[in-house]
């Protein structure tokens, strides 16, 4: 009778190495006591590389830069939905976008939304939908464009495809669904974002902690939500600084409600809870 295989064990040295590398590669501050998280996320990477223990995997990570990327992707969490924290989109529609349109930043050119930890794209597409509704309400000068960045290649690819299940689109208000969603002809309850929004969007992999992949971004509205909680104070400051430098003066930064206090920085003025304006 075949004996069941025993899962590889994490030794203390392995844990310290992996936690330190996670901070270097992703900026994420992992709890060394949460070995179940590490084994749950990295067990598949051992199997994919034909390895039998974490010491071998640690040695691989020292020399294989491609595997380092896969390592970072395995550790990141991607939870999102359409119109999550809806009060922020409501504020943009009712006040924020009009203020931006009235400034010299948005006049005569595109208004750039940046979903800085975009996951599978719902946050960014929600911003574009909001901008289109604002245009209907009289802000005709708005020409929205979206940039989505994330550390994970698979989620960035999925965001670019813009295909979602019925459950994933439940957050889209019923009055917006016919306008912004196309029903699949091949599968029930599968939808795709309309071409007008997809063509206004660009997606790329990037690292908010190191700044890699952020070149050329200059945004009017930045969504930096539900990501700062994963970093320690030093990495959080790096992330905020990297985002701040790419936010135009007068632009808006939005954070998650539970992490708003982490975004405090000279040059950012609190507008509403979790909403900041760059004033310098």
């Amino acid at each position: 009778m075949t004996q069941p295989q025993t899962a590889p064990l994490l030794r203390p040295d392995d844990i310290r190495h992996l936690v330190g590398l996670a901070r270097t590669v992703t900026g994420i501050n992992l709890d060394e006591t949460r070995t179940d998280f590490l084994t749950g996320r990295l067990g598949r990477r051992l199997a994919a590389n034909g390895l039998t223990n974490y010491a071998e995997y640690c040695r691989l990570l020292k020399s294989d830069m491609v595997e380092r990327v896969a390592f970072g992707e395995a550790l990141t969490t991607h939870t999102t939905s359409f119109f999550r924290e809806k009060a922020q989109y409501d504020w943009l529609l009712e006040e924020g976008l009009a203020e931006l349109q009235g400034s010299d930043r948005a006049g005569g050119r595109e208004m750039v939304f940046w979903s800085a930890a975009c996951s599978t794209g719902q946050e960014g597409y929600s911003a574009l939908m909001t901008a289109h509704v604002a245009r209907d309400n009289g802000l005709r000068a708005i020409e929205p464009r979206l940039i989505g960045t994330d550390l994970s290649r698979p989620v960035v690819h999925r965001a670019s495809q813009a295909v979602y299940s019925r459950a994933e689109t439940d957050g889209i208000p019923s009055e917006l669904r016919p306008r912004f969603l196309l029903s699949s002809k091949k599968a029930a309850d599968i939808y795709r974002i309309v071409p007008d929004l997809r063509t206004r969007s660009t997606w790329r992999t990037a690292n908010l902690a190191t700044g890699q992949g952020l070149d050329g971004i200059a945004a009017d509205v930045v969504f930096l939500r539900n990501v700062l909680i994963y970093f320690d104070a030093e990495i959080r400051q790096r992330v905020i600084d990297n985002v701040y430098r790419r936010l135009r003066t007068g632009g808006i930064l939005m954070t998650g409600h539970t992490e708003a206090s982490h975004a405090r920085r000279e040059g950012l003025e609190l507008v509403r809870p979790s909403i900041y304006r760059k004033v310098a």
Side-chain angles (χ1 to χ4, degrees):
M1 182 176 178
T2 303
Q3 295 294 321
Q5 291 186 337
T6 302
L9 295 177
L10 269 171
R11 302 176 308 165
D13 285 349
D14 300 333
I15 295 171
R16 285 191 291 272
H17 181 84
L18 293 170
V19 167
L21 190 59
R23 190 176 189 277
T24 299
V25 172
T26 69
I28 295 173
N29 190 38
L30 297 178
D31 184 346
E32 291 190 12
T33 66
R34 289 192 58 195
T35 57
D36 57 335
F37 176 84
L38 285 170
T39 56
R41 294 300 181 95
L42 298 179
R44 284 173 289 184
R45 297 312 310 158
L46 266 68
N49 287 282
L51 304 178
T52 59
N53 60 69
Y54 285 97
E56 292 177 339
Y57 188 58
C58 289
R59 286 194 291 272
L60 176 67
L61 289 171
K62 289 180 180 179
S63 59
D64 192 327
M65 294 300 104
V66 174
E67 183 56 34
R68 280 198 180 201
V69 174
F71 166 78
E73 292 172 348
L75 293 177
T76 50
T77 300
H78 304 284
T79 302
T80 188
S81 59
F82 284 99
F83 291 95
R84 187 180 186 185
E85 301 191 23
K86 187 174 179 294
Q88 293 184 341
Y89 296 103
D90 290 342
W91 178 83
L92 281 174
L93 182 62
E94 295 165 7
E95 300 180 43
L97 294 181
E99 293 175 5
L100 285 169
Q101 186 191 44
S103 71
D104 58 5
R105 283 183 331 286
R109 63 162 175 78
E110 293 174 317
M111 182 180 292
V112 178
F113 297 87
W114 176 21
S115 179
C118 66
S119 187
T120 46
Q122 291 95 315
E123 176 181 84
Y125 287 125
S126 298
L128 288 182
M129 293 179 195
T130 300
H132 276 67
V133 173
R135 283 171 55 85
D136 294 343
N137 293 346
L139 301 183
R140 301 301 302 172
I142 292 178
E143 286 295 337
R145 182 166 73 87
L146 170 65
I147 301 171
T149 62
D150 201 281
L151 187 66
S152 171
R153 294 167 299 176
V155 301
V156 167
H157 176 71
R158 184 154 183 246
S160 70
Q161 297 302 296
V163 176
Y164 302 99
S165 68
R166 173 70 198 217
E168 289 174 314
T169 64
D170 278 348
I172 301 176
S174 58
E175 66 272 17
L176 300 184
R177 297 178 68 86
R179 179 176 179 184
F180 296 118
L181 294 180
L182 300 173
S183 298
S184 172
K185 296 179 180 178
K186 298 181 179 179
D189 294 331
I190 298 296
Y191 303 91
R192 194 177 193 193
I193 300 296
V194 295
D196 185 35
L197 298 194
R198 299 201 309 269
T199 57
R200 293 177 182 269
S201 309
T202 58
W203 308 90
R204 64 169 97 162
T205 55
N207 189 318
L208 295 174
T210 65
Q212 183 177 6
L214 302 182
D215 291 348
I217 294 177
D220 298 289
V221 179
V222 180
F223 294 90
L224 183 68
R225 306 193 300 184
N226 308 303
V227 62
L228 295 175
I229 54 175
Y230 297 106
F231 304 135
D232 62 25
E234 179 185 348
I235 299 295
R236 278 199 300 267
Q237 193 59 54
R238 282 192 220 164
V239 171
I240 291 294
D241 288 345
N242 281 331
V243 169
Y244 180 87
R245 286 195 292 270
R246 292 162 177 87
L247 178 63
R248 292 179 172 127
T249 301
I252 298 297
L253 171 66
M254 296 188 167
T255 71
H257 286 288
T258 61
E259 56 193 357
S261 62
H262 298 323
R264 302 280 171 82
R265 185 196 190 282
E266 184 178 355
L268 288 175
E269 163 188 273
L270 185 65
V271 178
R272 296 284 174 85
S274 74
I275 300 176
Y276 296 85
R277 179 181 290 108
K278 182 176 180 178
V279 294

